[in-house]
Each structure stands twice: as structure tokens, then as C-alpha cells.
Amino acid sequence: MSNEATPRASPDALLAAAEREMRGKLRIFLGAAPGVGKTFAMLQAARAAKAGGLDVVVGLVETHGRAETEALVGGFEVLARRNIPYRGRLVAEFDVDAALKRAPQLLLVDEYAHSNIEGSRHAKRWQDVQELLAAGINVWTTLNIQHVESINDVVQRITGVRVRETVPDTALQKADEIILVDLPPDELLRRLAEGKVYVEDTATRAVQSFFKPSNLTALRELALRRVAARVDSDLLERMQGSAIEGPWAVGERLLVCVGPDVAAERVVREAKRLADLLDASWFAVTVERPGRTVAAAERARLEAGMRLAESLGAQTRSLVAGDIAAELLRFARFENVTQIVIGKAQPRRPLRLRRSLADALVREADGVAIHVVTAESVARRMERPKLPASGGAAGYLAATACVALASVIGRLLTQFVALPNVSMLYLLAVLVPAIRYGVWPAIFGSALSFLAYNFFFIDPVGTLTVARPHELLALVIFLTVAVLISAIAGRAREQTRAAALRIRATRRLYDFTRKLSALPDRTAVAEAAAIEIHAALGRAAVILTRPGGDLAIAAAWPPEDRLDTASMTAARWALDHREAAGAGTETLPDAAWRFVPFAGSAEAEPLGVIGVERGAAGSAPFDAESEALLATLAEQTAAALVRARLSTEVASARTAAETERVRNILLASISHDFRTPLASILGASTSLLDYGGGMPEATRRDLLGHIRDEAEHLDAMVRNLLSMTRLEAGALELRRDWIDVAEVLNRAVAAARRRGAQQGFSIRVAPALPLLFADPGLIDQALGNVVGNAVRHTAPTSKIELAAEATGDRLEIAVTDDGPGIAAEVLPHVFEKFVRAAHDNGDGGDGSGLGLAITKGIVEAHGGTVSATSPAPGATLGTRITIRLPLAPPPDMTGARQMEG
Amino acid sequence: MQLPRVLVVDDEPAIHRFMAPALVANGYEALKAENGAEAIAMTASRRPEIVILDLGLPDMDGKEVIRRLRGWTDTPIVVLSARDRDAEKIEALDLGADDFVNKPFSMGELMARLRAALRHHARATVETPVLRLGPIEIDLPRHRVVRDGAEVKLTPKEFDLLAFLARHAGRVVTHRQILREVWGPAHEHDTQYLRVYVGQLRAKLEADPVNPKLIVTEPGVGYRAGE
């Protein structure tokens, strides 16, 4: 038996179940109307759960002063509410953070549809509940059917009461369980009469008209239907999840085309109801015509419609096509859509040249049902489509000038040539303003041409009357053609302009990307991104990243180094939940900034958030266009930041490799240079131990001396290594003191002689040389290495001169030898580590290749410089190493001669 | 006659291994301590004539040993310290150590320090009016300096400086010790005075001022008057 034969669970069903495993479970107590006893039912069920050992906490329950409800609440731990200042008083609201902190197994939160007070984290309580669920807390809540978004307008039609607090259908669908709390309408009305039902003001007409038996019956039916549908879908999902082989038909799929007209919202709701009825998944689609400009109001309606569809559970798509019907059908075929819902708008003009979308769809559709929703007449307050800008007075002047010119030319031409149709000239006169200034000047020009043509060329010439009927016809045709040309040319111009605008926007984005990609590190990227976002959106921009875990401002434009607490909270929320938060969103809308998270890729952890400021009160809200632009900029910024991080990582990897290389050379150098003296010491001492008895006294002494010399050599090497390490770690501590430079030179020569140098030394010190303020030990070492270097590079018969003089505020110490000199290609590198002349067996007196590098390090630590010249100045051979050290102001000697008499 | 006892304080057995025979060969009796506490106890019980103290000890800082010993004894202390730890040496000397030797050291150098310290300790008890420093004779009561039979004119400060160095001949004295003594506590950081005055003294007294033998610089620490 192959695997194929085993019934397998649908991945989607398993995934949905798995996601719900992690999340808390949501149970909704659904009622048809206030007063059916949802809260009471919830509390009773909770009491049973608590008795069963569950950790149950009341997050918020409105008792409305009813004793029996209060008694029930009394048995539970109740979370304290949070007091939020609102219009000068404190309003006690549900405290999400306290609930998250307490994290009980089960939390009771009344009134799912409640709207939170301004200043809360979320606009709606159902959003609070979603956050609790995401945190793994099980929640029970209550809801009345009239608050469900998709049946909101049905309820309004039934009851005549508009319900403002709504819950999107998706929030209802997310419930793991829906419990219907049912009460027959008669019973409810009785309770209402007895005052057992809390309504804010029973006397109002709205309430009276709401609690009518017919309304209650209808609402009850709605609630029952809703729960019944829900049971069906639960069953279906369970069957899919457990892979029960069932004879279910291929599901219906529905598509709604959302247009920019006022009927959009109604069409969407209608589609949702149909989708529910058919238990179909559904798409909401907009089709945009390329090149067609959409007025701001239309765009806003279109987006509102799409948002509504999304909140009702539709998948949304934006399509672009010239032929809307064909594109819709193509999409429908591709997605196996079986039902298409469209709105039927009233024809814009009484005279329709184009057939309607509905007609086109019906004609071309094949195997797809088309539902046409007619818009009610109330919703027919169509705004006039915004016409392109008139082009100003210049356009009309130009049109007049063109017509005048055409008239003059026409008159002149007809004098010489019998032109059959002068009207062509006027068409030209219309075309020019149409192309240059758009539709309205062109139409104005058409009218003017019509008059001028009539006046100058149609008999009787010089009047606006027309003698012959066929010429009247010619005039009318001319006018029609002129207006059409104007319209077409004008639109072409509008499209060109729109295209230019888009190109500019694209160009801007391209520049943004290019600019960011050229930057070396994250700070620079963040800064440039902030400046660009500020320029693109015209709002203050800030970029927050989390270099050390918590969010911190990486860059801002205009410069800003801190955000207020509310904004930071919104920023963190946006980061944690990977959703926009702050101003203009549903989460923490009171924050001054709007934050969008950005990540290197869809799955990756967000790198940070981008904030744009809401701006002063009254400034333009965030429109969809800037929202989309912000999203794109965020993406680009994220990509650039990731790239910058990668390049930094590459650079540091390179540095690490370089360090590694240096370390390897050092180790190789140490192991070689240490082994040589150690081998000598070991060899000499074992010789003495084993054969010393038979050796002449002189040989013994020579071997012993050798041991001592090599040990001293080792000591010098260790000293240099230590110094090098300290120099490189930046741990070199200068213990400055006043130094007599002549003494330093003398000590250097004495030390070299002690180590066996046989060269001829000479010391030349300028008279009255000022004292040097430096670290005596380190200066000894620096000069000692230079002298040692000279000793090693020269023959025993050579001469080495040490000279010191002051030039201005610098002290110059030069060590010159008459040895073979340093090859030109090695010269620039003599102060680098591990660089030695080829013929050399060591450098600064220890052979580790560190001597001159240490000299350079020490001198530079004192603010001085070193240089090497070869051949030595004024010679053909030899080397001169020069150390230049800054001279401090002369020391104070006033106290020294006190009591000198 | 009993041999002078030398207490060697070091936690490295290798040091004791070569020190003991060398000391014995030079006419000393070698005592051994491997940590600070032992050093203090041995000094109290065995009363060594001189202590050689390594500053890096396992149980306490060598400087702490000096501080404790100086509370009750003036037994000379010669400190062993790494060459690059000038600050440590100066501190030890200011705490009352008599001299120092850089580690690693040659035996000859160490023996010279021991001899100087012992001699100085013996002389400190008897104040003589005339000090000798090589070819120089310093007449303290009369403020006169004679070199090879001829009087050398010194300023009062030069004389004070020379006298102080000669009184500690063979031993290192830190800049601070000299400055306090000669110029007073207010000037104990004015090392530039020393550079200038030592330079002047050398010019007047040394046979070869660029290659001084009478007043030798201990770079970074202080001066030592030759013997």
C-alpha cells in the first residue's frame, strides 16, 4: 500500500490547528440582544471551570449594578482597572498589561465590541483580546450579534438603529468556540419591563424601537444562523484535519470587484453575506486602468472598500488592466472563482457610449455566476470626477492667439489659393493648445474656432449667420471633431504628466536605493535613510534599531535624540508585533509618531522600526500613497542595513584574518628566535656539566660567558615583546619625567658596549640642550633598539655616531652608521613589525624583528616621529635613523635656588 | 666569627638553588623563606644581617613585607624586581627598602648591592664629619669639597645634594628622597631641579662628565653615588 492511498490531513487545516494550539483559546458568548444574560452565563460557566481547578481571573465584567451578577463576580480574583485621563476625568479601563503580567489560565473580558477610550493601546477591546490570545491566555468574552461587522447594515435596516461599535468578522472567526446565549423575545421583553436589563436610557426612542418583538425575532434568527454556520465550518475543518474521506464538493469561490464609487462598501458587505451563505472563500479585487488618474476622494473610497473587505475576511488583490472585464475573468479562471459580485453604478452620462462592466462580464463569462448589486439612490451622491487643471489664463490666451493666427493665415491663403476646406487650419489651431495646455483651453479654442470659421469663411462672410444648410452641417461636424481632438490630446497630455510623475517617483526610489547602497556602515545608512524619508514624505523621520537588544534611535531627521514614552511604547509594539503602530493606526493612535517595522526578509526578525511624525494637529493625515511609499522605503532601508551589516562583517573578518596572519608570523618568529639562544644555553651548560672537568679553564669561561650573553639576549627579547604587546593593546603608560638627553645617549652606548659591540661610537650633544619630558625607561628602550640595530647592521670596525640637537620645539636624536645601508625597497618598511634586511640576522638588538617597530611605537606615544634615511645624508653608504620628540615648555626652576644666597 | 646571615625571600625554588651556593661562596650564611609570612617570622627569629626580597610573593605583596619589617627593624632590605616596574621599585624604596636589583640580574651586581647595604648600615650608626667619594673629600662641618687636593667651589644646594648622595654612597636614593631632604617636602616632585643640579655637580666633579662615575643615574628611579 502506497502512501498515496492513506488519507492525509490537509496541511492548511493542520496549520490552523497548530497555530491555535500555541494561542490562547477564545470562547465567545453570543447573544441576539442586550439583556439575554450573556455575562451571567459566562460567569456561571467560569465558576464551574474554577471549581474544576482552573486559574480563572476576571479581567473586566460590567455588572451594571445587578446583585446576582455581582455575587457571581465576587467569587473570582478581579484585576484592577487602569485609570486613563480623558477630558479632565479618569476613566477606568481594562488593563491589558496587568492581564499579560498576571497571565491566568482563563481570563474573563466582557463586551468584545467595546471601543476603548482615547489614549489606550488599542482602539478596540477585541484587539486587546487578540493580544492576550497571542500571549497564550485563554479568554472568554461576550458579544451581541448586531456588533458583527458584516451584518451591521442588515441590523441597521431591521432595527433602524446604527450600531457604531463593530467587531470584524475575522475577530469572530478566530473564536475557538461560540456559545449562543438564547432567550425568547417575549421573555427578554418581560425582563426589560421588569428593569432587569441594563440599557443606558430606556426612554429614548432608539431603544424603544430597538426592543420591538419583530426586531428581536430577526436578530435572534441572525444569531442562530451565525452559530449554525459556524458549527458547519467547525465540522468541516475537523473532517479535513482528521482526514475523514468525505464527499464534499469543490468549494465555491467568490470574487467581488470593488470600484471607487460610493456603493463600494455595500457591494463588499453583500459579497461577504453571499460568501457566508455559500461558505465560500472570497477575493476582493480592484482593477486599475493604466494611465487613468484617480481623484483623491475616489482613491480613499476604493481603499476604504478594500480595507473593509480585508477586515471581513477577504483576500485582496490589486490588478492593472486596460480591459477590466477581461482581466476579472482571467483572474477568476486562474483562482477557480465561481461567483463574481459587482456593483452596478448609474451611468454617468445619459448617453452611454461604452457598455457597462456588468454587460461585458455577462457576455463574456463562462461558467461563472455574476451577481450585480444595485446601488440605492441615497448612496448616489456622486462627486463630479475631478477634471484636469485648466492650465490658467495662459492657456486661453494661447488658444485665442492660435485661432486669430489661423484666421489670418486662412484669409491670406484663400486670396491666392482656392482652399476647399479652411477648417483644417482651425483644427491645427485647436491641437496646439490641447497639447500644450490641456483640455479646457482646447475646448475654448474649439468654440472660438467655430465662431471665427463661421464669421470669416462661411457665407455670408462677416456675420455669424449661415446661409447654406450644408455649411451648418460642416460647422457642427467641425465643432464635434475639434472637441474630440481637444479631449484626446488633452488626455494624452494628462497621461504624459502622470507618467512623468511616476517616473519621478521611481527615479527618486532608485536614487534612494543607490544612495543607501553606496554607504559603508549602518550608521551612515540609517542617517541617509532618515533624510530621504523626511524628503519623500515631508515629515520628520526617525530610524530605531536594536543594536544591544532594546530599541534605540539610530538616526533621525531633523536630528532628534529621544522620543517620548508613548512613542517608544508604540515603537516597541510595532517591533514586537511586526505591525504598524502609533499615529494613524489602530494601536496606540495617540502617539505622535507612526512606526512601521522593517526586516531584511519576510521571515527574519525585524531589524528595527521607522517612525514618521504625525505633525501638528490639523496637518494632513497619512494617506494611502504615503503609506505605500513608507512601506517601500522601509523595505529599501532594511535591505541597505542588511547589506551594510554584511559588509561590516566582511571587513571585520578581513581584520581578523590580518590579525591572525600577524599572530602566526609572531609565533613563528618567537619560536625561531627564542630557540636559538635557548639552544646555545642548553648546549653550553650541558657541555660544561658533562665534559667540564676535561676542559681548559679558558674554554669553560668562554662557554659560561656564552650562556650569560644568550640569556641577556633572551631577556631583551622578552622586554621587547612585552613592550610591543602593551603598545598594541594601547596599555602603554607614560611615566614622564625630566630627562637629560646626553645621559640617555651615554647609557645607550654603554649598554651596547656591555653587549659586546666593538664599533667606534661617538656622541655629539648640542650645548645647553633643554631637558626632555618623557618616560625615561621607554626612551632608553627606543634609543637602545636603534643603536642595537646599527650595531647588528655594521661591521665591528664601523663607526656609529649619536647626535642630539634641538630645532625649534623639537628634539632631534640621530643615529648614523657607515654600514652597507638599507635597500631602497625595504627602507619604507623598516619600522614595520617583522621586517628585516635580507642579509641581517636580527634587528634592534634582539632579532625578533620588533626593535624598530617598538621604537616607532614608543616615539609616537610621546607625540614624536621616526624616520630612516639610506644612504646617510652626505655619504654614499650607511643609514641614519632620526627620532624627533616634542620639547615641553622649560621646567620651572625658581624654587631650586632658594637659600643659595 | 659568625658569618653574616642573608635571608633570601622568593617563591621560586630555582632562585634559591643558585643563590644559596653563590652566597656561601661569598662568605654569607644563606637563609631561605618562600613567602611573606615566613619572611617576617624568620627575620624575627633568626635576625639576619640583610634581607633579599622578591616583590612578587604568593601570600602578600612584597611591599607589605617591607612595611611590616620596618615597623620594628632597620635590617637592610634589597629588593628584587622586574626592570619595567619602576613604580614598584620606587614605592619599595620609599617604604624603606635600601636598594634594588633588576630581575634578571647578575650575581656580581647583587653581591655589590649587598656589600653596599651592609656597609651603609654599619656606618649609619657612626656619623663621621668627613665623607669620601672616590677622589672627593667632603668636609661636612666646614662645607668644603676637595678633589685631588684642590678645593671645588659648590653652591650651598650643590653641597647639600652631594653630601646627601655621599652619605648614601653605594645605595640608590629615589628622586623623592633627595628632593625632600635637599629642597624640602614642597618640592618632592620637582625632578627637573635634580637634572640641572646633578648636571652641574658632574661638570665640576667628574673626570668625564658625559660618562659619570661618581653620580650614576638609575633611570626612572633615582641616583646612586659611586664608591
Side-chain angles (χ1 to χ4, degrees):
Chain A
M1 192 172 128
S2 80
N3 273 349
E4 299 306 312
T6 324
R8 269 197 290 183
S10 138
D12 280 349
L14 289 177
L15 213 65
E19 202 193 343
R20 257 177 270 165
E21 282 304 309
M22 313 282 216
R23 287 172 64 87
K25 298 234 189 299
L26 175 64
R27 179 187 284 188
I28 295 176
F29 290 81
L30 184 72
V36 295
K38 298 176 301 294
T39 307
F40 193 79
M42 175 172 79
L43 287 168
Q44 273 187 322
R47 193 167 64 177
K50 194 181 179 198
L54 216 60
D55 174 25
V56 186
V57 169
V58 170
L60 178 138
V61 163
E62 300 288 356
T63 59
H64 301 302
R66 272 168 303 199
E68 43 190 349
T69 316
E70 266 171 9
L72 263 178
V73 171
F76 296 100
E77 175 185 341
V78 182
L79 285 183
R81 298 194 194 184
R82 198 160 80 98
N83 287 317
I84 298 176
Y86 179 66
R87 296 196 180 152
R89 64 201 171 92
L90 287 178
V91 178
E93 277 279 18
F94 173 55
D95 191 343
V96 191
D97 289 314
L100 285 170
K101 198 166 162 233
R102 172 63 179 80
Q105 281 173 299
L106 175 61
L107 190 74
L108 309 183
V109 184
D110 213 358
E111 294 183 15
Y112 197 39
H114 176 78
S115 291
N116 289 332
I117 206 101
E118 264 175 60
S120 306
R121 181 185 304 173
H122 297 292
K124 304 281 188 178
R125 182 167 298 155
W126 66 265
Q127 292 168 319
D128 294 342
V129 169
Q130 293 306 323
E131 196 170 338
L132 295 168
L133 293 172
I137 299 170
N138 298 319
V139 179
W140 287 2
T141 186
T142 63
L143 180 71
N144 282 327
I145 191 72
Q146 76 259 29
H147 294 296
V148 176
E149 178 83 51
S150 67
I151 46 178
N152 187 251
D153 61 340
V154 178
V155 171
Q156 189 186 354
R157 244 178 299 155
I158 294 172
T159 63
V161 177
R162 170 98 177 150
V163 179
R164 288 207 166 67
E165 300 190 324
T166 58
V167 174
D169 290 47
T170 47
L172 186 64
Q173 276 163 13
K174 276 181 185 152
D176 297 87
E177 268 178 282
I178 295 177
I179 309 275
L180 183 71
V181 182
D182 192 31
L183 192 69
D186 296 345
E187 180 70 12
L188 177 58
L189 288 172
R190 196 178 53 75
R191 287 187 57 180
L192 189 71
E194 286 170 6
K196 284 187 179 169
V197 175
Y198 172 81
V199 274
E200 275 180 36
D201 188 358
T202 27
T204 60
R205 289 232 337 243
V207 169
Q208 280 170 358
S209 66
F210 186 87
F211 286 98
K212 277 193 304 202
S214 60
N215 284 351
L216 293 175
T217 308
L219 287 171
R220 189 178 174 217
E221 197 184 318
L222 272 176
L224 285 167
R225 264 216 320 250
R226 187 84 202 187
V227 174
R230 169 68 195 213
V231 169
D232 277 354
S233 79
D234 269 2
L235 178 67
L236 197 66
E237 200 169 302
R238 224 163 279 150
M239 284 168 79
Q240 283 176 341
S242 50
I244 301 165
E245 300 259 24
W248 52 69
V250 175
E252 297 275 354
R253 283 161 89 86
L254 188 139
L255 180 152
V256 56
C257 181
V258 181
D261 49 88
V262 283
E265 191 184 327
R266 205 176 124 68
V267 174
V268 169
R269 288 188 192 284
E270 213 57 61
K272 163 66 178 167
R273 264 197 298 279
L274 191 59
D276 283 357
L277 216 66
L278 296 169
D279 193 18
S281 65
W282 59 300
F283 296 93
V285 173
T286 62
V287 187
E288 217 173 321
R289 277 221 189 85
R292 184 163 173 267
T293 50
V294 182
E298 288 192 330
R299 180 161 288 286
R301 272 200 301 269
L302 194 62
E303 273 151 13
M306 290 300 270
R307 266 203 299 274
L308 175 71
E310 200 168 2
S311 77
L312 291 176
Q315 296 183 52
T316 55
R317 296 277 191 283
S318 288
L319 307 174
V320 180
D323 186 341
I324 298 180
E327 179 64 18
L328 277 180
L329 288 171
R330 190 199 60 74
F331 180 81
R333 268 192 299 277
F334 184 73
E335 293 285 353
N336 291 322
V337 165
T338 53
Q339 314 269 340
I340 296 179
V341 179
I342 56 169
K344 186 178 190 321
Q346 287 284 14
R348 234 186 248 173
R349 292 172 292 260
L351 195 101
R352 274 177 67 97
L353 297 175
R354 272 202 327 261
R355 58 195 173 134
S356 74
L357 176 61
D359 298 339
L361 280 176
V362 168
R363 189 185 301 221
E364 288 165 28
D366 186 14
V368 179
I370 312 288
H371 304 257
V372 181
V373 178
T374 50
E376 287 169 29
S377 54
V378 232
R380 187 120 309 282
R381 258 180 280 107
M382 278 284 262
E383 282 171 36
R384 280 186 71 82
K386 198 179 156 201
L387 286 161
S390 65
Y396 296 98
L397 277 178
T400 312
C402 282
V403 171
L405 194 67
S407 304
V408 172
I409 294 172
R411 290 295 284 184
L412 287 174
L413 279 180
T414 43
Q415 284 184 2
F416 304 107
V417 200
L419 204 62
N421 207 336
V422 191
S423 61
M424 288 302 188
L425 267 176
Y426 283 105
L427 281 184
L428 206 63
V430 171
L431 212 53
V432 172
I435 292 169
R436 187 77 187 74
Y437 298 101
V439 179
W440 291 110
I443 288 175
F444 172 74
S446 303
L448 212 58
S449 295
F450 170 77
L451 294 176
Y453 184 34
N454 186 349
F455 192 82
F456 291 115
F457 298 99
I458 305 284
D459 287 334
V461 174
T463 65
L464 288 176
T465 50
V466 180
R468 278 163 290 188
H470 75 270
E471 288 191 323
L472 183 68
L473 185 67
L475 268 176
V476 170
I477 291 174
F478 166 76
L479 187 62
T480 315
V481 171
V483 169
L484 275 177
I485 286 179
S486 308
I488 292 166
R491 189 184 299 166
R493 180 177 165 272
E494 289 305 319
Q495 289 183 357
T496 319
R497 231 173 46 137
L501 276 176
R502 257 200 309 280
I503 286 172
R504 213 156 357 147
T506 314
R507 169 120 247 147
R508 167 139 226 161
L509 198 61
Y510 171 70
D511 284 347
F512 177 74
T513 317
R514 210 184 37 180
K515 213 175 279 176
L516 291 194
S517 69
L519 294 170
D521 59 73
R522 308 186 70 180
T523 327
V525 167
E527 211 150 271
I531 291 171
E532 287 297 311
I533 293 168
H534 168 73
L537 298 176
R539 297 165 189 276
V542 60
I543 292 178
L544 296 105
T545 55
R546 35 178 188 186
D550 195 21
L551 272 183
I553 293 183
W557 196 263
E560 179 80 59
D561 57 4
R562 51 167 318 182
L563 293 175
D564 56 286
T565 322
S567 297
M568 279 312 285
T569 313
R572 288 201 186 94
W573 199 92
L575 185 79
D576 292 346
H577 293 74
R578 301 190 190 188
E579 262 177 54
T585 68
E586 292 183 329
T587 306
L588 296 162
D590 300 328
W593 297 73
R594 178 203 192 91
F595 294 96
V596 292
F598 59 92
S601 63
E603 304 83 42
E605 280 283 294
L607 299 168
V609 296
I610 293 179
V612 285
E613 198 172 24
R614 178 178 46 198
S619 63
F622 292 99
D623 56 1
E625 216 160 304
S626 53
E627 232 169 80
L629 184 57
L630 182 59
T632 314
L633 294 175
E635 245 168 63
Q636 298 299 335
T637 308
L641 281 175
V642 168
R643 189 200 47 71
R645 191 182 61 195
L646 287 180
S647 71
T648 318
E649 276 169 10
V650 167
S652 67
R654 207 174 286 145
T655 317
E658 177 66 14
T659 314
E660 184 61 27
R661 192 186 68 86
V662 168
R663 189 179 300 138
N664 287 340
I665 295 175
L666 181 66
L667 282 177
S669 167
I670 289 173
S671 59
H672 170 263
D673 294 324
F674 271 53
R675 271 195 195 126
T676 313
L678 283 172
S680 303
I681 293 169
L682 210 59
S685 53
T686 46
S687 301
L688 283 168
L689 276 173
D690 297 344
Y691 317 110
M695 281 179 185
E697 177 64 18
T699 313
R700 279 215 301 272
R701 285 202 66 82
D702 183 51
L703 283 176
L704 286 166
H706 194 54
I707 291 174
R708 184 200 56 208
D709 293 348
E710 290 299 316
E712 275 180 1
H713 185 183
L714 269 178
D715 179 40
M717 267 168 62
V718 171
R719 274 221 292 162
N720 271 342
L721 270 177
L722 272 175
S723 305
M724 200 70 231
T725 317
R726 277 187 207 154
L727 275 170
E728 290 193 336
L732 198 68
E733 205 182 310
L734 297 186
R735 298 173 47 82
R736 288 184 191 258
D737 200 352
W738 294 102
I739 307 177
D740 185 344
V741 181
E743 260 191 69
V744 174
L745 302 193
N746 279 305
R747 274 203 300 273
V749 171
R753 285 213 201 286
R754 232 187 1 259
R755 292 203 189 96
Q758 289 156 30
Q759 284 85 344
F761 287 97
S762 60
I763 294 177
R764 195 161 49 79
V765 179
L769 202 62
L771 294 178
L772 184 66
F773 191 59
D775 186 306
L778 291 175
I779 293 295
D780 275 0
Q781 196 181 355
L783 186 64
N785 284 348
V786 175
V787 173
N789 193 53
V791 168
R792 281 178 184 259
H793 281 205
T794 56
T797 51
S798 295
K799 289 189 165 36
I800 299 174
E801 187 201 56
L802 283 72
E805 60 179 4
T807 52
D809 58 352
R810 302 237 127 192
L811 179 87
E812 210 173 285
I813 302 172
V815 178
T816 315
D817 65 55
D818 58 357
I822 301 173
E825 67 270 18
V826 182
L827 195 63
H829 305 292
V830 287
F831 292 107
E832 289 170 21
K833 279 183 288 182
F834 313 119
V835 172
R836 315 177 198 185
H839 64 274
D840 184 22
N841 61 350
D843 73 339
D846 66 23
S848 66
L850 289 172
L852 290 184
I854 288 166
T855 299
K856 180 170 186 264
I858 290 173
V859 171
E860 284 177 354
H862 281 87
T865 57
V866 287
S867 61
T869 333
S870 182
T876 52
L877 283 172
T879 308
R880 172 176 290 174
I881 305 275
T882 312
I883 295 173
R884 289 179 192 83
L885 288 163
L887 282 170
D892 174 27
M893 296 296 293
T894 47
R897 288 174 183 86
Q898 282 171 7
M899 300 179 293
E900 287 283 58
Chain B
M1 182 193 146
Q2 205 180 355
L3 296 174
R5 291 174 301 275
V6 179
L7 174 65
V8 181
V9 187
D10 201 306
D11 60 325
E12 289 291 339
I15 301 284
H16 290 291
R17 188 170 157 192
F18 73 79
M19 284 275 244
L23 287 169
V24 170
N26 275 277
Y28 298 102
E29 182 189 344
L31 305 175
K32 181 173 110 176
E34 286 180 346
N35 55 54
E38 202 183 331
I40 293 163
M42 294 271 285
T43 311
S45 61
R46 303 293 303 276
R47 295 276 170 173
E49 267 70 31
I50 192 163
V51 176
I52 300 173
L53 175 71
D54 185 86
L55 287 180
L57 293 174
D59 60 336
M60 66 176 88
D61 192 315
K63 296 192 288 292
E64 180 60 27
V65 178
I66 300 170
R67 198 175 289 121
R68 295 208 194 164
L69 288 179
R70 280 291 171 263
W72 53 271
T73 175
D74 60 353
T75 308
I77 301 171
V78 173
V79 161
L80 300 180
S81 161
R83 197 192 307 272
D84 55 354
R85 307 188 69 168
D86 289 344
E88 189 183 65
K89 280 176 267 191
I90 294 168
E91 247 184 280
L93 291 168
D94 285 343
L95 278 171
D98 291 70
D99 213 329
F100 74 91
V101 175
N102 282 324
K103 239 181 167 178
F105 50 88
S106 79
M107 222 47 207
E109 195 184 350
L110 177 65
M111 293 308 162
R113 298 280 178 274
L114 291 184
R115 277 196 301 275
L118 281 169
R119 196 166 45 237
H120 182 262
H121 185 64
R123 197 168 48 204
T125 46
V126 201
E127 184 71 37
T128 51
V130 178
L131 297 174
R132 279 202 146 273
L133 196 62
I136 314 282
E137 232 172 62
I138 305 159
D139 188 337
L140 292 174
R142 282 192 274 171
H143 270 246
R144 263 169 55 102
V145 175
V146 177
R147 184 175 185 272
D148 301 329
E151 186 181 341
V152 183
K153 288 276 178 211
L154 294 184
T155 68
K157 284 290 162 203
E158 286 171 358
F159 183 86
D160 290 348
L161 177 59
L162 181 65
F164 183 74
L165 289 172
R167 221 173 280 138
H168 297 83
R171 277 181 60 197
V172 70
V173 274
T174 66
H175 297 141
R176 214 171 86 147
Q177 288 167 342
I178 306 172
L179 286 162
R180 274 178 86 91
E181 181 70 22
V182 179
W183 277 274
H187 294 283
E188 64 179 38
H189 297 295
D190 291 332
T191 47
Q192 69 273 20
Y193 295 1
L194 283 178
R195 304 290 170 226
V196 173
Y197 275 77
V198 168
Q200 290 169 7
L201 276 179
R202 282 173 179 160
K204 289 181 180 177
L205 301 173
E206 295 273 6
D208 177 9
V210 293
N211 214 351
K213 296 267 188 281
L214 294 175
I215 306 171
V216 182
T217 307
E218 285 289 350
V221 180
Y223 291 94
R224 182 193 305 277
E227 288 178 277

